[in-house]
Amino acid sequence: MNDKNNVFIFDTTMRDGEQSPGASMSLEEKIQIARIFDELGIDIIEAGFPIASPGDFEAVTAISKILKNAIPCGLSRASKKDIDACHQALKAAPRFRIHTFISTSPLHMKHKLNKTPEQVLDAIKESVTYARNLTDDVEWSCEDGTRTDMDYMCKSVELAISCGAKTINIPDTVGYTIPSEFTKIITTLKNKVPNIDKAILSVHCHNDLGLAVANSLAGVSAGVRQVECTINGIGERAGNAALEEIVMAIRTRNDLMPYTTGIKTELLSKASKIVSNATFPVQFNKAIVGKNAFAHEAGIHQDGMLKNRETYEIMTPESVGVKKTSLVMGKHSGRHAFKEKLNDLGYTDVTDDVIQSAFGKFKILADKKKHVYDDDIAALTDESMVLDKYVINLKSLKVFAGTGEPQKAEMTLDVYGEIKSTSETGDGPVDAIFKCIKVLYPHDVKLLLYQVHAVTEGTDAQATVSVRIEENGKTTVGQSADTDTLVASANAYLSALNKMIIKRKKTAPIEHETDKMKGI
Ligand code: KIV
Ligand code: ZN
């Protein structure tokens, strides 16, 4: 950890990542994510923005109690109320970090904060000093850093360090900078801030121009030793720098970037899956963790690969935890083999109930489908892991579709233990299904997204359906996989709805600001 070439990985999937539209995660999902992040080797986990909502406060508190290696962190504005909320949420952890920030660009100071540069300097002094009295691990960020006047940035960084900040983070809040400019900013700070050696420099890059990873790596090459990033690159607007891309770029091009991270790269694929299950699907061609990242389609490439993998492969799929899709499981496979398979796929901490439920689903699937692939098993296990929390469950579904007649769905649901049935027509079968759910459990949510994609190949492939809904500004995402797209559609909608019901139940442990302020 003290090695001068070690780069600390600071993950903000559960804070900045959650600010992506549709990426809100339940407490259970955040705990599952925190556990895999801890195992993955992430150094610091920003678990939320405790003052922002009861949900964030609760998540930061819960995560602070379970981390074994990573340091939990909470975000706060330059206000005592925010910093106190962070402290309350984090204090159960043996070590924790308070991350406080304020804007320093002329644009933000004038129009967002309505403060003079001198008033902002006062706020930096007050907030960092206050946080430092609660922990010796304080990080300070100059929001909109890359549009900040360089002399003013140097002055504020020097002040934050003199008040006790141990990490100085330079955010490219609006994804505006380019690598050469970012190199210059970091070099200037290193040359001009007299106490810069008392702190670790950090970068936090957004991806509005698709440069977040390139800018982060430019920062590292210029001397930064902490990178803030998210799994799958999720985050506000176009997202944050993707953790898996930064880590694998450093590992693959170690000849040009001779740095180390503590990340166990073989767990990247699993972490990506867990995050995408809780948020939204990863695009197929996404670097490192996309479904196609290691697929070779063109004949000429396949031929080269057969002769020598290195012709077209700069890193092995195994190095990020991608195992070759195998066909070993079929309808004659027993429970023991199934358990072994789950272990191989990285499901090492699932309960017996989940295994039981996933095995039942696997048997049904193996009867319907010729080949059961690893991805199929992962999809049905992921689903089993959340089902016991749901209060509305699908019992049966029949759909009448095709030309001529209006499409009709007949549905039976278990709603809080009561069995209810209805039959509805709709503008297409999916509309009819969603109408049945609305009749059986009256509710008023807005459907923001309905997306279908295949888990594996072939016409008998399982379809994964993602549904995103919104209620009073809160969004949830549900996903479900089935060989029958319409059954997957019903279950995905029910999953989103169940998550919304769980979200509604949350109560406020302290006085919170609204979720709207998360748009920082
Ligand atoms: O993008 C940003 O500026 C942020 C800060 C709060 C670090 O997320
Ligand atoms: Zn950000």
Side-chain angles (χ1 to χ4, degrees), residues 244 248-249 251-252 287-288 293-294 309 312-320:
E244 61 279 6
M248 288 312 288
R251 179 177 155 155
T252 307
I288 317 294
F294 294 94
R309 281 174 81 154
Y312 288 101
E313 200 171 79
I314 57 165
M315 56 198 153
T316 64
E318 292 79 13
S319 66
V320 298

Side-chain angles (χ1 to χ4, degrees), residues 240-352:
N240 287 61
L243 183 153
E244 61 279 6
E245 294 178 23
I246 290 169
V247 168
M248 288 312 288
I250 290 176
R251 179 177 155 155
T252 307
R253 294 312 310 271
N254 217 248
D255 53 332
L256 297 177
M257 294 182 285
Y259 313 111
T260 53
T261 71
I263 298 296
K264 295 185 188 105
T265 61
E266 296 74 18
L267 289 174
L268 283 171
S269 171
K270 183 177 174 192
S272 161
K273 245 182 218 148
I274 292 175
V275 170
S276 77
N277 283 346
T279 56
F280 36 73
V282 171
Q283 79 198 49
F284 281 11
N285 63 333
K286 165 84 181 59
I288 317 294
V289 292
K291 192 178 159 74
N292 293 349
F294 294 94
H296 298 272
E297 187 74 16
I300 190 166
H301 287 204
Q302 288 173 350
D303 181 54
M305 286 282 292
L306 289 173
K307 288 174 178 148
N308 180 337
R309 281 174 81 154
E310 283 177 29
T311 50
Y312 288 101
E313 200 171 79
I314 57 165
M315 56 198 153
T316 64
E318 292 79 13
S319 66
V320 298
V322 173
K323 301 211 173 83
K324 278 216 154 36
T325 303
S326 57
L327 300 178
V328 289
M329 300 297 288
K331 64 177 173 186
H332 300 298
S333 306
R335 193 186 312 268
H336 184 71
F338 184 74
K339 234 172 141 174
E340 290 283 300
K341 175 56 98 185
L342 289 187
N343 232 2
D344 280 358
L345 293 175
Y347 291 92
T348 44
D349 50 4
V350 285
T351 61
D352 286 346

Side-chain angles (χ1 to χ4, degrees), residues 92-121:
R95 287 190 307 162
F96 60 86
R97 175 176 296 186
I98 294 178
H99 176 192
T100 179
F101 74 98
I102 191 163
S103 294
T104 50
S105 67
L107 202 71
H108 276 218
M109 288 193 286
K110 180 160 183 229
H111 298 287
K112 179 179 146 170
L113 300 175
N114 196 21
K115 282 191 193 307
T116 64
E118 288 68 35
Q119 286 171 320
V120 169
L121 289 176

